[in-house]
Amino acid sequence: MRPMFDFAQSPVPVREDLKNTYQKIWNHFAKPGPVLDAAQRSTLLASVRAGALATTNVIPPALGRLASTLYTDPAAVSESTVRNAAEETGDAAAAETVGLVALLSAVDGAHRALGVDLVALPEPLPGPATGNIATGLKRRRTHLPMPPDAIPGAIDLVPEVAAVYRDSFGPQYMTEQDMALSDFERSPGLNRAQIELVSSRTSLINECFY
């Protein structure tokens, strides 16, 4: 059987750590999450990929709007987009949705940039949502409760999603240790200045804020 993330049609080589990271993200998608079970996750992600709102009886409307907007037009995400979803389904469901769609966008964006077909979403595994939701987090001039941390803390309300998100940092950007090195250079790959130029330009285009 051909590996799921082989990038056989890619015009350039793709690093093995990226392939492994994408596979771990797909494995995570297949599992029940803190609030959404695996079938709900599958419906949500398939809907945003198809350019449709996941407003069926499986996914609440405001949560579907948050997911769709984040995937198709991230610059349009506003406080009301997030807070409406949180008020309808709870902060944890909104945080899980943000994490899932951010991960999907990263993987799909890489495939589109390379001109290769998107990988089919995994079959959802059975079982209820885990209910693993952090306590004691607060809104700190943010749309969702989070600890007084750096950017990765944005989805720490749902620890198992945040763990996958953090693990994807190193291969796709830099690890927290790498970020402390002004002369960091990936081999093969870009040096620190080149990495920051790409990430800053992407953030500017998407009108990112934190």
Side-chain angles (χ1 to χ4, degrees):
M1 179 182 295
R2 193 175 78 179
M4 185 175 294
F5 291 100
D6 64 357
F7 288 95
Q9 305 303 316
S10 173
V12 295
V14 176
R15 298 194 325 266
E16 290 300 318
D17 60 340
L18 278 171
K19 296 177 185 178
N20 294 336
T21 293
Y22 295 162
Q23 184 60 63
K24 289 177 182 177
I25 290 172
W26 247 234
N27 293 345
H28 177 69
F29 287 165
K31 301 175 183 177
V35 181
L36 305 175
D37 63 30
Q40 290 173 309
R41 287 175 149 209
S42 181
T43 297
L44 183 78
L45 296 176
S47 296
V48 298
R49 261 191 172 181
L53 291 177
T55 55
T56 66
N57 58 352
V58 177
I59 301 296
L63 206 61
R65 284 192 291 273
L66 170 61
S68 179
T69 306
L70 184 59
Y71 186 84
T72 60
D73 188 12
V77 174
S78 64
E79 181 177 7
S80 63
T81 313
V82 180
R83 293 300 295 272
N84 287 346
E87 289 171 4
E88 184 177 52
T89 62
D91 287 331
E96 182 174 352
T97 296
V98 169
L100 292 173
V101 176
L103 289 166
L104 179 68
S105 296
V107 179
D108 284 359
H111 282 70
R112 291 191 176 103
L114 292 169
V116 299
D117 292 339
L118 302 184
V119 174
L121 292 168
E123 288 295 321
L125 298 173
T130 66
N132 183 17
I133 301 168
T135 58
L137 277 61
K138 300 177 181 179
R139 286 189 176 84
R140 306 172 191 277
R141 293 186 293 176
T142 55
H143 300 340
L144 292 169
M146 59 186 291
D149 276 345
I151 300 168
I155 53 174
D156 276 358
L157 187 62
V158 283
E160 60 212 65
V161 183
V164 177
Y165 184 67
R166 274 192 171 87
D167 285 346
S168 74
F169 262 43
Q172 297 188 105
Y173 179 50
M174 291 178 283
T175 66
E176 294 181 8
Q177 292 75 22
D178 295 335
M179 292 178 203
L181 305 174
S182 60
D183 59 349
F184 172 75
E185 184 168 355
R186 197 182 300 281
S187 180
L190 307 179
N191 61 36
R192 177 66 183 268
Q194 292 168 323
I195 292 171
E196 297 291 18
L197 177 61
V198 172
S199 62
S200 298
R201 180 62 177 167
T202 303
S203 295
L204 176 65
I205 292 171
N206 289 336
E207 298 182 27
C208 294
F209 63 92
Y210 56 89

